[in-house]
Amino acid sequence: MVLSMTIIELIIISAGAVVVLMAILDRILTSLGITPNTLYNAIMMLSGLLCVIAHMVSCGGILWAGIFLTCALLIPSLFEIVGIRTGIPFGKYQYLPGAGPRLYFGVPVSIVLMWVLLLYSGVFIGLSISELIHFEPRGFSVILIGSFVVVFWDLIGDPVSVHGMMWRWLNGGKWYGVPLSNFFGWFLVAMTTLTVILLLSGSFPSNSGQSRTIFYLPVFLTGFLHYIYFHAAYRRKFIFLSILSGIAGTLYLGLYILTLNQY
């Protein structure tokens, strides 16, 4: 068992390191006017997915990992399918070729995987904050905090993605061209998905003797990726969004350090 856990932790760290290095290289290449191709982006996203899956198995067990993956892949995808066709609950939008290949019913693969990664980061930021402030019941606090984490990410990521020609809003909106209904939709999707995961699994992962550095690694990676979005937003002249992203990145990294020193 010790050997298995060591291998899993090695996978987590290695895949996470690949994501960090490729994300940094992506920003460097973009600054030089070089746009990374689809294969590059696919490798980076799949490395992130590998890191998350290995982390799920290590911290929650195979059964919990299966429940989380199934719910995080299917529930947001169903909302996306409805949203593309009806505009409910996000608002009327259309995916563009920049979003990459489509998986089914017009939903891009990148969007399906993005939901998994964002929901997972929301869970562990929720766990971290709940532990620090001793918030109970733990399940409810994780769902609530995790949903706000996901929405906050979209407050920055959606305008950047629209500017990057990944999708467009047919009727525009008040937040950098994004309708406010979109953020209500994101909150609804996150709350629904995390609630179903909790009902089916009975609980979220708890740190029982594992390395806190590994257990709360998603908090660190989320903080780092906010710094990446700081640069992306700044290059598109979204100064306020870049400031928000930088503040969020600093807060998440501070949260990670506080959580490590809790005991």
Side-chain angles (χ1 to χ4, degrees), residues 71-263:
C71 293
L73 286 169
L74 293 182
I75 296 175
S77 295
L78 291 174
F79 275 98
E80 289 279 353
I81 292 169
V82 173
I84 291 172
R85 283 157 174 72
T86 68
I88 300 172
F90 310 104
K92 291 186 177 297
Y93 63 104
Q94 180 183 54
Y95 283 114
L96 301 175
R102 313 296 171 91
L103 189 60
Y104 44 75
F105 298 107
V107 182
V109 177
S110 60
I111 302 302
V112 175
L113 297 182
M114 177 195 67
W115 274 109
V116 175
L117 300 178
L118 292 181
L119 287 166
Y120 196 69
S121 69
V123 166
F124 278 84
I125 290 171
L127 286 170
S128 180
I129 293 175
S130 297
E131 180 179 301
L132 283 175
I133 64 177
H134 306 289
F135 194 105
E136 297 294 345
R138 187 68 53 89
F140 173 76
S141 66
V142 170
I143 291 172
L144 188 61
I145 295 169
S147 298
F148 277 113
V149 166
V150 170
V151 172
F152 187 81
W153 179 277
D154 192 53
L155 282 171
I156 300 163
D158 210 294
V160 172
S161 298
V162 169
H163 192 275
M165 302 301 291
M166 292 185 68
W167 58 80
R168 67 187 182 98
W169 293 97
L170 302 184
N171 299 318
K174 295 183 178 181
W175 181 261
Y176 296 92
V178 180
L180 299 181
S181 59
N182 173 60
F183 305 114
F184 166 77
W186 272 64
F187 188 79
L188 176 64
V189 174
M191 281 281 289
T192 301
T193 307
L194 294 179
T195 299
V196 172
I197 289 169
L198 179 61
L199 290 175
L200 292 179
S201 65
S203 65
F204 291 112
S206 59
N207 185 16
S208 54
Q210 295 167 306
S211 165
R212 295 177 69 81
T213 304
I214 296 294
F215 187 83
Y216 289 108
L217 186 62
V219 181
F220 168 81
L221 291 176
T222 304
F224 168 78
L225 291 176
H226 265 287
Y227 282 127
I228 296 297
Y229 260 77
F230 164 85
H231 180 264
Y234 182 79
R235 286 193 74 251
R236 290 167 170 80
K237 311 300 182 183
F238 295 149
I239 305 302
F240 180 65
L241 293 183
S242 68
I243 293 172
L244 278 183
S245 195
I247 292 173
T250 301
L251 290 175
Y252 288 146
L253 292 180
L255 176 64
Y256 180 66
I257 293 171
L258 285 174
T259 306
L260 294 185
N261 295 324
Q262 180 73 353
Y263 295 102

Side-chain angles (χ1 to χ4, degrees), residues 1-10:
M1 178 61 70
V2 174
L3 178 61
S4 299
M5 289 303 295
T6 302
I7 293 173
I8 292 176
E9 290 180 359
L10 180 61

